[in-house]
Amino acid sequence: MLALAIAPAGAQTRPQVRDLGAEAPRSAIYIGNSFFYYNNSMHGHVNSMIRLAPPPAHAGFATSSVTISGSGLNWHDVESYFRPNALRSYSFDRQNNIVFNTNDRLYEIAIMMDCSQCPIHPRLSGLFAEYARKHSETVRRHGAQPVFFMSWAYADKPEMTQQLAEAYTVAGNANNALVIPAGLAFARAIAERPALNLYVADKRHPSLAGTYLAAATTYAALFGRSPEGNRHTAGLDADTAAFLQRTAWATVRDYYGERRAAAN
């Protein structure tokens, strides 16, 4: 019953890229909009999962998040994010001291998301394809790998799930890039637990549970490891956090199909 409920909400095209290679990434830049920065920023939750993951841990993971409210990919000047002595030139440690950094390589991956409707909007989908290509080329020119973040459907427009999944998968294949299937994780969670609200009142932006699910899916996709049992729960109750961790891992495994096996 569950498989029948979830199966239609997926991409028809299968992803060609299923992992980031043998070496786990050690740094990332998130390029997107408010879907990323809600709930004290999704990248912070991913970092907490990385820090609290069971061995082997991914120590020293460095991130930047560059977001513009309501933005599409064409709003971002990605070339400028890789300029020397700018982003990541200093950071703050756990004692709130400024640390000056020397970075031989700014980022190993760039996680990019378009506006929530842009990849499937009749007037904007062409810009999505164009800037997915342009930004992927820019990212690679600076020695990093492009990654696309598949966003979720609006709460009152579930038909967006399959449309977005297809658009992002096609873009990932066209640019030889990994796609993080967060939108499919939302659909799976809603199918299994419709009473668990993944949205705030506007029916677009994520609740804390929604951000946590997106972060767990991102962790699973980037590292090929299950987030199940991770001690970072973002303040959610244990049952909800465990359900979202399971949902993220099941979604990643289903979306990629055969990929490298990994324990949590």
Side-chain angles (χ1 to χ4, degrees):
M1 293 293 290
L2 178 60
L4 290 175
I6 294 171
Q12 295 178 357
T13 302
R14 300 301 302 166
Q16 295 173 2
V17 180
R18 297 176 172 85
D19 58 49
L20 291 173
E23 295 293 326
R26 292 169 294 179
S27 58
I29 180 171
Y30 292 74
I31 300 169
N33 48 57
S34 55
F35 277 27
F36 276 163
Y37 70 62
Y38 253 58
N39 301 302
N40 203 27
S41 193
M42 191 190 78
H43 81 284
H45 294 282
V46 177
N47 286 356
S48 292
M49 287 183 174
I50 293 169
R51 189 176 69 253
L52 296 175
H58 311 285
F61 195 83
T63 53
S64 300
S65 184
V66 182
T67 59
I68 305 171
S69 179
S71 69
L73 284 177
N74 61 312
W75 292 20
H76 285 275
D77 181 4
V78 174
E79 180 70 41
S80 72
Y81 302 157
F82 286 86
R83 68 193 188 278
N85 302 315
L87 274 68
R88 284 188 63 208
S89 59
Y90 57 86
S91 56
F92 300 86
D93 66 18
R94 291 196 173 186
Q95 289 73 45
N96 289 326
N97 300 306
I98 290 183
V99 178
F100 292 93
N101 303 314
T102 300
N103 301 303
D104 295 329
R105 184 180 180 189
L106 270 180
Y107 307 105
E108 294 187 3
I109 59 173
I111 303 170
M112 299 181 284
M113 171 175 52
D114 208 340
C115 87
S116 54
Q117 293 188 46
C118 290
I120 58 175
H121 191 278
R123 292 182 59 181
L124 298 173
S125 59
L127 282 175
F128 168 63
E130 177 185 355
Y131 279 86
R133 176 184 57 79
K134 287 182 175 180
H135 291 338
S136 293
E137 292 172 353
T138 297
V139 166
R140 286 200 168 94
R141 190 165 61 251
H142 289 280
Q145 291 190 62
V147 176
F148 294 119
F149 181 90
M150 180 199 299
S151 57
W152 47 83
Y154 297 169
D156 57 349
K157 295 184 182 296
E159 67 275 9
M160 289 175 63
T161 296
Q162 185 169 352
Q163 298 166 2
L164 287 166
E166 182 68 10
Y168 273 101
T169 303
V170 168
N173 290 350
N175 294 284
N176 194 31
L178 186 75
V179 177
I180 299 168
L184 297 179
F186 265 59
R188 181 185 290 264
I190 292 166
E192 292 193 33
R193 291 196 183 182
L196 177 59
N197 192 2
L198 302 180
Y199 302 88
V200 297
D202 66 9
K203 301 180 181 180
R204 301 192 309 274
H205 289 92
S207 66
L208 179 59
T211 291
Y212 186 81
L213 176 58
T217 307
T218 298
Y219 173 85
L222 295 184
F223 296 102
R225 303 178 73 197
S226 173
E228 294 170 284
N230 195 285
R231 291 183 291 122
H232 175 65
T233 63
L236 298 169
D237 66 85
D239 178 68
T240 298
F243 166 70
L244 296 173
Q245 291 172 356
R246 289 194 305 272
T247 300
W249 185 232
T251 302
V252 164
R253 289 178 65 84
D254 283 354
Y255 178 66
Y256 297 135
E258 293 295 326
R259 71 195 304 261
R260 66 181 186 270
N264 65 347

